[in-house]
Amino acid sequence: MFNLKKEQKKAVECINQPTLISAGPGSGKTRTITAKIMHLISLGYAPERILAITFTNKAADEMKHRVEETTKISIDKFPWIKTFHSACLDIIKKNCQLLNFTTPIHIYGDAKKKAICKIILDKYSIEKKYLESMANMISLAKNYGDPIKYIQNNNNQLAYQCYNDYMKKLILHNAVDFEDLLLYVQELLQNNLNIRLYYQKYFQYILIDEFQDSNNVQNNIVSLLVNNGNLTIVGDDYQSIYSFRGANPSNFISFSQQYNNAVIITLEENFRCNSNIASAADALIKYNQNQLLKNCFSKKQGELLEIKAFNNQDDEAIWITEKCREYHNKYNIPYKNIGILYRTKSCANPFEEAMVKAGVPYKVFGSKSVFERREVRDVISYLFSAINIKDDEAFERIINVPKRGIGDKAIENIKSDFQDNSLQEACHKAIIKGSLSNKLSTKLKKLLRFLSDIRTEKPDNAVNQIIKRTDYLNYMKSYSGSDIEYKGRLDMLQLITQIASSKQTIDDFLVDVSLLNEEIPDMSKDNGGVRLSTIHASKGLEYKIVFLVALENGIIPHSKSSNIEEERRLMFVGMTRAENKLHLSYAKFRNISKATKSIFIDEIPAKYIKK
């Protein structure tokens, strides 16, 4: 059915011993994984006892679709095709009492984490500019696998105090953050032999995709779950580009040292890129030392790479914009099949300006998440406030949104009078005590009654009521800068309502939102235009034509990165997004400053470059 190549077939049929599939770009790894699941079922493995993990919801959905299509078995029979975080959440829910949680457990995404961090910064009189650093420190500490040890290694007493305050807040709210989902499962499996043995016996086979992106905690969880060597991991250390999230490619590279009798199978043929692109990228990545060697190649004939130097970033943007128009008008290439990729988001600005002036449609990827937008955060904060009376961050966000005349001074007074209570509890007690003015008491009663009314509603009904009963659309008009901006925000509310309609309870919806929070881009009305994207956001995508731009030292490799090998892997990922044609470009001046050609350009053999 799958017409598998020799090495793909070998990977599919290798059972009962730990197997690593080192799969280069475009080598058909998803097809191989799907075929392996089908093979396992043909051998008598139960679909509901196969754990198939990947790293994004999009990839998990694609895997589910492929499996259902090929096995003809309803996807409902495969409950454990999931992301790492989603699978861990299921394990936590089933064992929440052992972890001293009650149900429902609240999942805090990035926005909630930063809201708590902001309060802690205020407590220690630390400037707001350190918000990102603090949130990142907490994530890295947890992804390390031993947060306290990570912080102690950095010998920072203030960081230790901030981390402890942060965790106390989560525990108070019966909440976990994204990283906790992994950390608590690691703790559960390490400390409870019965739980560990239960899951080892239950999962008859484990497959993990994109394992080069695993962090230490994920690697530990897999080792605690695997039984009888029934494990296959798939990935490509050449494409490991997430160390800033705690990813450790050594987990992938050292697989054969961690598991006895491990088998390593390489998938080297690239079915996506033409031969010049595949070979050029392979030659570049060979400069790295810490990797599992393979020789990526393609049998597809195609054009050589083109490298072009420009005087400045504006000249680069104008020329590439016109080239996109030429590909579209002269060669009938749809704009959406053209990608402009760059190392940092700021590099997009001149291209956006050039395309607006030239009337070339475009779409920016890798920008603000839907769930970071103001209107979405407001609505979601109402929902959190409705189901979690202890969630101060959510309630304080919406207590005067839209404006209802409840000022900061009144809020501070209520907090001061009932210091041992959450803000929402304090408002209840203040009303009962009669310590508020009639006007303020009436306003708070109305808000609290509204939250009580929507608490048991279906999520989409609750969202619609929030929008309607708070007159949110008029409020949204007041802070939208234009009709176009207002329409975009309206699209976002409609998208949230659509996502909510697939869930039965508000809690289920908020869990889903938290798990999606890391990866859903702002997808308002795709116009089918040229794709502008960071290289990070382009991973897993492919384009007929790719322009890899701003290839200058300081940008790629980035001046703030100490990991030259990961920067080279980023370049490799960018190059291998191209199917038919790859343009590389750099400027001699960027933002007035003199720039130099990236060292990576000189690492590409001349035989693959058009003269």
Side-chain angles (χ1 to χ4, degrees):
M1 177 184 288
F2 289 95
N3 296 318
L4 298 175
K5 299 287 185 179
K6 179 183 176 182
E7 290 303 300
Q8 291 175 328
K9 192 170 186 291
K10 181 180 175 183
V12 165
E13 295 176 350
C14 190
I15 309 289
N16 298 327
Q17 61 187 125
T19 305
L20 179 147
I21 302 174
S22 183
S27 61
K29 71 179 180 66
T30 304
R31 172 191 292 250
T32 305
I33 294 171
T34 307
K36 183 147 195 171
I37 292 174
M38 194 170 182
H39 182 60
L40 288 169
I41 292 169
S42 73
L43 294 176
Y45 288 78
E48 66 274 11
R49 295 176 66 183
I50 296 172
L51 176 64
I53 293 293
T54 189
F55 277 75
T56 68
N57 286 280
K58 180 182 175 184
D61 287 342
E62 182 183 352
M63 191 185 293
K64 288 176 186 177
H65 175 73
R66 293 270 193 106
V67 167
E68 186 173 43
E69 191 176 58
T70 54
T71 64
K72 307 304 179 187
I73 298 172
S74 169
I75 200 60
D76 295 337
K77 302 292 185 183
F78 294 91
W80 289 97
I81 296 181
K82 290 179 174 289
T83 63
F84 244 118
H85 292 88
S86 181
C88 286
L89 176 59
D90 282 358
I91 293 173
I92 288 173
K93 279 182 173 180
K94 189 170 181 179
N95 302 281
C96 64
Q97 289 182 338
L98 290 171
L99 294 165
N100 297 318
F101 286 103
T102 58
T103 53
I105 299 170
H106 303 291
I107 317 296
Y108 283 6
D110 193 50
K112 300 285 290 180
K113 174 191 283 187
K114 288 178 181 176
I116 296 174
C117 288
K118 194 173 181 181
I119 292 170
I120 296 169
L121 291 178
D122 287 341
K123 175 181 176 180
Y124 294 107
S125 301
I126 302 172
E127 294 177 66
K128 296 291 187 292
K129 67 181 181 180
Y130 294 107
L131 179 61
E132 288 286 345
S133 298
M134 181 179 172
N136 192 47
M137 178 273 292
I138 291 169
S139 294
L140 288 174
K142 292 183 178 187
N143 287 334
Y144 180 74
D146 186 339
I148 302 304
K149 184 178 179 181
Y150 177 90
I151 294 168
Q152 287 174 342
N153 287 346
N154 287 280
N155 196 27
N156 188 327
Q157 184 60 33
L158 183 57
Y160 179 77
Q161 290 173 330
C162 289
Y163 180 83
N164 275 342
D165 286 352
Y166 175 80
M167 290 307 297
K168 285 176 184 175
K169 276 279 189 185
L170 288 185
I171 291 166
L172 179 67
H173 294 172
N174 194 54
V176 295
D177 64 20
F178 214 56
E179 290 78 24
D180 282 335
L181 294 173
L182 305 174
L183 205 57
Y184 280 122
V185 168
Q186 175 185 260
E187 176 188 321
L188 190 67
L189 295 173
Q190 283 177 336
N191 300 339
N192 193 308
L193 178 62
N194 289 335
I195 297 294
R196 183 164 74 250
L197 290 176
Y198 169 80
Y199 283 107
Q200 283 181 353
K201 185 177 179 181
Y202 183 79
F203 293 127
Q204 294 177 330
Y205 205 92
I206 300 173
L207 298 102
I208 316 286
D209 192 15
E210 301 287 2
F211 199 73
Q212 79 281 346
D213 293 333
S214 67
N215 58 40
N216 292 344
V217 186
Q218 290 161 333
N219 188 53
N220 291 342
I221 290 170
V222 172
S223 67
L224 289 164
L225 287 175
V226 70
N227 187 26
N228 297 326
N230 283 346
L231 169 69
T232 293
I233 69 166
V234 188
D236 182 10
D237 54 297
Y238 289 8
Q239 298 185 71
S240 181
I241 58 174
Y242 294 114
S243 67
F244 65 93
R245 293 181 186 168
N248 183 359
S250 295
N251 296 331
F252 186 85
I253 295 166
S254 63
F255 181 79
S256 60
Q257 294 159 22
Q258 185 174 356
Y259 294 94
N260 294 328
N261 303 318
V263 175
I264 297 177
I265 299 167
T266 56
L267 305 182
E268 297 174 320
E269 184 172 357
N270 185 332
F271 301 103
R272 175 195 304 148
C273 309
N274 77 38
S275 59
N276 290 307
I277 297 169
S279 296
D282 188 65
L284 170 81
I285 204 66
K286 289 295 193 291
Y287 279 85
N288 280 1
Q289 300 298 312
N290 185 34
Q291 57 190 5
L292 285 177
L293 281 176
K294 57 182 173 292
N295 297 305
C296 300
F297 68 94
S298 171
K299 295 178 181 177
K300 286 173 59 177
Q301 297 303 305
E303 296 183 55
L304 294 165
L305 287 64
E306 291 192 33
I307 299 176
K308 195 167 180 64
F310 297 92
N311 287 325
N312 55 58
Q313 76 265 26
D314 293 327
D315 288 350
E316 180 186 41
I318 291 167
W319 185 86
I320 289 174
T321 298
E322 288 307 311
K323 197 71 180 172
C324 290
R325 193 205 300 276
E326 180 185 330
Y327 277 124
H328 179 71
N329 293 340
K330 190 173 179 180
Y331 300 103
N332 296 316
I333 307 267
Y335 280 127
K336 67 179 181 180
N337 289 340
I338 303 173
I340 298 177
L341 312 181
Y342 35 79
R343 172 66 175 84
T344 59
K345 290 179 183 179
S346 60
C347 294
N349 297 337
F351 292 95
E352 288 196 69
E353 291 176 16
M355 291 195 175
V356 168
K357 288 178 181 176
V360 172
Y362 68 94
K363 177 74 183 174
V364 181
F365 285 77
S367 54
K368 183 184 287 188
S369 164
V370 164
F371 303 108
E372 292 177 13
R373 294 180 63 114
R374 177 176 177 176
E375 64 278 9
V376 175
R377 287 183 64 189
D378 286 345
V379 169
I380 287 175
S381 291
Y382 267 97
L383 296 176
F384 267 114
S385 298
I387 68 165
N388 187 358
I389 197 169
K390 293 184 179 296
D391 193 331
D392 283 355
E393 291 72 40
F395 188 62
E396 194 156 352
R397 182 180 179 90
I398 58 93
I399 193 170
N400 203 35
V401 170
K403 293 192 181 300
R404 48 178 64 92
I406 304 173
D408 292 343
K409 187 174 180 181
I411 295 170
E412 289 304 316
N413 288 339
I414 294 170
K415 283 182 179 178
S416 178
D417 290 344
F418 301 94
Q419 292 182 13
D420 295 332
N421 297 272
S422 71
L423 179 56
Q424 199 173 155
E425 289 170 329
C427 288
H428 276 287
K429 291 189 175 182
I431 291 168
I432 293 169
K433 186 179 178 183
S435 59
L436 306 174
S437 69
N438 288 337
K439 189 176 181 182
L440 180 57
S441 181
T442 300
K443 288 172 180 175
L444 282 173
K445 278 182 185 176
K446 186 178 179 182
L447 173 60
L448 295 174
R449 191 181 304 116
F450 172 61
L451 293 176
S452 177
D453 288 345
I454 66 172
R455 188 167 293 139
T456 56
E457 289 282 345
K458 286 193 64 180
D460 53 338
N461 292 338
V463 171
N464 284 324
Q465 286 193 48
I466 291 165
I467 294 168
K468 184 177 180 180
R469 288 173 61 178
T470 68
D471 197 21
Y472 193 85
L473 296 186
N474 274 330
Y475 172 67
M476 192 166 72
K477 275 183 183 175
S478 72
Y479 67 75
S480 296
S482 65
D483 289 343
I484 293 174
E485 182 185 331
Y486 172 76
K487 181 63 170 60
R489 293 185 184 278
L490 192 59
D491 289 341
M492 291 303 100
L493 292 182
Q494 289 170 348
L495 175 60
I496 287 300
T497 307
Q498 180 184 337
I499 295 172
S501 67
S502 66
K503 300 296 174 182
Q504 291 301 308
T505 69
I506 291 175
D507 183 60
D508 286 343
F509 169 62
L510 291 176
V511 166
D512 206 41
V513 164
S514 299
L515 293 176
L516 288 170
N517 192 34
E518 301 294 307
E519 62 185 72
I520 294 293
D522 182 343
M523 291 293 290
S524 52
K525 299 304 181 198
D526 186 357
N527 60 3
V530 174
R531 278 26 186 169
L532 272 61
S533 172
T534 61
I535 299 173
H536 282 102
S538 75
K539 189 170 178 291
L541 302 177
E542 55 190 51
Y543 302 98
K544 298 293 184 187
I545 315 290
V546 165
F547 294 89
L548 197 50
V549 304
L551 300 178
E552 295 130 31
N553 292 318
I555 295 180
I556 185 167
H558 200 277
S559 57
K560 292 183 180 179
S561 174
S562 59
N563 190 337
I564 189 68
E565 294 209 347
E566 179 152 325
E567 293 295 303
R568 191 175 284 110
R569 292 195 292 267
L570 262 175
M571 182 79 172
F572 177 87
V573 168
M575 292 173 69
T576 53
R577 298 313 91 199
E579 293 181 39
N580 300 339
K581 185 70 180 178
L582 176 61
H583 293 270
L584 309 175
S585 64
Y586 62 95
K588 297 173 184 176
F589 287 88
R590 189 165 296 274
N591 300 325
I592 309 176
S593 301
K594 191 171 183 179
T596 58
K597 175 177 61 173
S598 171
I599 58 172
F600 297 148
I601 291 178
D602 289 331
E603 292 176 353
I604 299 171
K607 63 182 176 179
Y608 302 121
I609 298 167
K610 188 176 181 180
K611 294 177 182 177

Short mmCIF file of all heavy atoms in Angstrom, two decimals, residues 140 143-144 213-216 242-248 251:
data_model
loop_
_atom_site.label_atom_id
_atom_site.label_comp_id
_atom_site.label_asym_id
_atom_site.label_seq_id
_atom_site.Cartn_x
_atom_site.Cartn_y
_atom_site.Cartn_z
N LEU A 140 13.00 27.03 31.38
CA LEU A 140 14.25 26.29 31.21
C LEU A 140 14.56 25.45 32.45
O LEU A 140 15.04 24.32 32.33
CB LEU A 140 15.40 27.26 30.92
CG LEU A 140 15.40 27.92 29.54
CD1 LEU A 140 16.51 28.95 29.44
CD2 LEU A 140 15.56 26.88 28.43
N ASN A 143 12.27 22.43 32.24
CA ASN A 143 12.64 21.54 31.14
C ASN A 143 13.96 20.82 31.42
O ASN A 143 14.24 19.77 30.82
CB ASN A 143 12.76 22.33 29.83
CG ASN A 143 11.40 22.73 29.28
OD1 ASN A 143 10.40 22.08 29.55
ND2 ASN A 143 11.35 23.80 28.51
N TYR A 144 14.76 21.37 32.31
CA TYR A 144 16.02 20.73 32.69
C TYR A 144 15.75 19.41 33.43
O TYR A 144 16.55 18.48 33.38
CB TYR A 144 16.80 21.70 33.58
CG TYR A 144 18.13 21.19 34.09
CD1 TYR A 144 19.24 21.11 33.24
CD2 TYR A 144 18.29 20.79 35.42
CE1 TYR A 144 20.46 20.65 33.71
CE2 TYR A 144 19.50 20.33 35.90
CZ TYR A 144 20.58 20.26 35.04
OH TYR A 144 21.79 19.80 35.52
N ASP A 213 13.75 17.19 19.15
CA ASP A 213 13.26 18.36 19.87
C ASP A 213 12.93 18.06 21.33
O ASP A 213 12.39 18.93 22.03
CB ASP A 213 12.01 18.92 19.18
CG ASP A 213 12.31 19.49 17.80
OD1 ASP A 213 13.45 19.91 17.58
OD2 ASP A 213 11.41 19.48 16.94
N SER A 214 13.23 16.85 21.79
CA SER A 214 12.89 16.49 23.17
C SER A 214 13.81 17.20 24.16
O SER A 214 14.98 17.48 23.87
CB SER A 214 13.01 14.98 23.37
OG SER A 214 14.36 14.56 23.26
N ASN A 215 13.25 17.50 25.34
CA ASN A 215 14.08 18.03 26.42
C ASN A 215 14.39 16.89 27.40
O ASN A 215 13.96 15.74 27.20
CB ASN A 215 13.40 19.22 27.12
CG ASN A 215 12.04 18.86 27.69
OD1 ASN A 215 11.84 17.79 28.25
ND2 ASN A 215 11.09 19.78 27.55
N ASN A 216 15.12 17.19 28.46
CA ASN A 216 15.54 16.15 29.39
C ASN A 216 14.36 15.45 30.06
O ASN A 216 14.38 14.24 30.28
CB ASN A 216 16.47 16.73 30.46
CG ASN A 216 17.79 17.18 29.88
OD1 ASN A 216 18.14 16.80 28.77
ND2 ASN A 216 18.53 17.99 30.61
N TYR A 242 15.68 24.05 18.65
CA TYR A 242 14.89 24.62 19.75
C TYR A 242 15.60 24.56 21.10
O TYR A 242 14.95 24.35 22.12
CB TYR A 242 13.54 23.90 19.83
CG TYR A 242 12.65 24.14 18.64
CD1 TYR A 242 12.32 23.09 17.78
CD2 TYR A 242 12.16 25.41 18.37
CE1 TYR A 242 11.50 23.31 16.68
CE2 TYR A 242 11.34 25.63 17.27
CZ TYR A 242 11.02 24.58 16.43
OH TYR A 242 10.21 24.80 15.35
N SER A 243 16.89 24.76 21.13
CA SER A 243 17.59 24.73 22.43
C SER A 243 17.09 25.82 23.36
O SER A 243 17.12 25.67 24.58
CB SER A 243 19.10 24.86 22.24
OG SER A 243 19.43 26.14 21.73
N PHE A 244 16.59 26.93 22.78
CA PHE A 244 16.08 28.02 23.62
C PHE A 244 14.82 27.60 24.38
O PHE A 244 14.42 28.26 25.34
CB PHE A 244 15.81 29.28 22.78
CG PHE A 244 14.71 29.13 21.76
CD1 PHE A 244 13.40 29.47 22.05
CD2 PHE A 244 15.00 28.65 20.48
CE1 PHE A 244 12.41 29.35 21.10
CE2 PHE A 244 14.00 28.52 19.53
CZ PHE A 244 12.70 28.87 19.85
N ARG A 245 14.20 26.50 23.97
CA ARG A 245 13.05 25.94 24.71
C ARG A 245 13.48 24.76 25.59
O ARG A 245 12.66 24.11 26.21
CB ARG A 245 11.98 25.43 23.74
CG ARG A 245 11.29 26.51 22.93
CD ARG A 245 10.24 25.84 22.05
NE ARG A 245 9.63 26.79 21.14
CZ ARG A 245 8.85 26.45 20.13
NH1 ARG A 245 8.60 25.17 19.89
NH2 ARG A 245 8.32 27.36 19.32
N GLY A 246 14.76 24.49 25.62
CA GLY A 246 15.25 23.38 26.44
C GLY A 246 15.49 22.10 25.67
O GLY A 246 15.87 21.08 26.26
N ALA A 247 15.28 22.11 24.34
CA ALA A 247 15.51 20.89 23.55
C ALA A 247 16.99 20.50 23.62
O ALA A 247 17.88 21.34 23.59
CB ALA A 247 15.10 21.13 22.10
N ASN A 248 17.22 19.19 23.71
CA ASN A 248 18.58 18.67 23.83
C ASN A 248 18.79 17.58 22.79
O ASN A 248 18.38 16.43 22.99
CB ASN A 248 18.79 18.12 25.24
CG ASN A 248 20.21 17.62 25.46
OD1 ASN A 248 21.04 17.67 24.56
ND2 ASN A 248 20.48 17.13 26.65
N ASN A 251 19.83 13.79 23.38
CA ASN A 251 18.90 12.69 23.68
C ASN A 251 18.73 11.79 22.46
O ASN A 251 18.59 10.57 22.60
CB ASN A 251 17.53 13.25 24.09
CG ASN A 251 17.57 14.04 25.38
OD1 ASN A 251 18.41 13.78 26.24
ND2 ASN A 251 16.68 15.00 25.52
#
